[in-house]
Amino acid sequence: MDVSSSSNTDMSAIQVDVLQKSIEVNQREALKIIESAVEETKQVSAQKTGIGKHLNITG
């Protein structure tokens, strides 16, 4: 194997690793957004039913 072939293989491996880490970060961020949306939905539902942090006494 010549030097350029080895260098290309190393660069490809680095690119794959960077892409995998980028995907993992994106997945974690998407999960945070989903969890936040679920929590907000729970809070809105609780407020509408009057069983949340704020009692809905006006109807």
Side-chain angles (χ1 to χ4, degrees), residues 20-36:
Q20 286 175 335
K21 288 181 181 177
S22 175
I23 290 169
E24 289 173 7
V25 168
N26 287 339
Q27 288 173 335
R28 282 195 298 269
E29 290 300 317
L31 184 59
K32 286 180 186 177
I33 291 168
I34 291 168
E35 288 173 343
S36 175

Side-chain angles (χ1 to χ4, degrees), residues 4-34:
S4 63
S5 177
S6 175
S7 177
N8 287 340
T9 301
D10 290 343
M11 190 58 99
S12 294
I14 290 170
Q15 288 174 337
V16 167
D17 188 48
V18 167
L19 285 173
Q20 286 175 335
K21 288 181 181 177
S22 175
I23 290 169
E24 289 173 7
V25 168
N26 287 339
Q27 288 173 335
R28 282 195 298 269
E29 290 300 317
L31 184 59
K32 286 180 186 177
I33 291 168
I34 291 168

Side-chain angles (χ1 to χ4, degrees), residues 40-59:
E40 286 182 30
T41 301
K42 286 179 183 177
Q43 289 177 0
V44 168
S45 295
Q47 288 175 359
K48 285 183 178 179
T49 60
I51 59 171
K53 293 178 184 174
H54 309 286
L55 293 177
N56 183 3
I57 58 174
T58 60

